[in-house]
Amino acid sequence: QVQLVESGGGLVQPGGSLRLSCAASGFTSSNYAMRWYRQAPGKERELVATLTSAGSTSYADSVKGRFSISRDNAKNTVYLQMNSLKPEDTAEYYCSTLYGMNRYWGQGTQVTVSS
């Protein structure tokens, strides 16, 4: 069955970096668009980054130039490299894909940016 498992979150100081991982199983992630979302307390979940099966990327304006989405096909894993982190990047981060008629989500990984 389709499964997504995120890792790599943690506490980081403003200006720091983190790399999130999303390990996919039950399907070949390179054949599908993969997305990273985030949700801060009291706010709606927002789309952060998309990586299509063709390799195209897109980003929310708030993270453009700081975040980068990529994949390792051999590991069936998608990454979100986050640089120059800001306190407003604090959120639970989720990876997601649309497989068949269903959207699948991982369990999330918490990112906290604070001094």
Side-chain angles (χ1 to χ4, degrees):
Q1 70 278 20
V2 172
Q3 192 171 14
L4 301 169
V5 178
E6 300 98 334
S7 61
L11 174 64
V12 63
Q13 291 188 343
S17 298
L18 282 175
R19 189 179 77 159
L20 306 184
S21 299
C22 172
S25 60
F27 72 110
T28 302
S29 63
S30 59
N31 292 339
Y32 298 84
M34 299 295 295
R35 294 179 167 177
W36 284 97
Y37 289 79
R38 67 185 181 186
Q39 187 168 21
K43 295 188 176 181
E44 293 187 355
R45 190 170 295 189
E46 66 169 333
L47 177 62
V48 174
T50 300
L51 175 60
T52 71
S53 57
S56 299
T57 59
S58 59
Y59 300 92
D61 287 343
S62 59
V63 307
K64 209 170 287 184
R66 300 188 298 121
F67 289 13
S68 178
I69 187 171
S70 62
R71 59 165 43 112
D72 183 331
N73 294 340
K75 295 183 178 180
N76 207 20
T77 297
V78 176
Y79 302 99
L80 185 68
Q81 178 67 43
M82 306 186 296
N83 299 326
S84 302
L85 283 161
K86 305 176 181 180
E88 50 263 44
D89 295 318
T90 295
E92 189 83 8
Y93 283 72
Y94 301 87
C95 69
S96 180
T97 192
L98 184 64
Y99 181 86
M101 297 293 289
N102 299 308
R103 177 158 292 281
Y104 290 86
W105 300 88
Q107 84 287 352
T109 186
Q110 176 68 36
V111 172
T112 302
V113 185
S114 174
S115 55

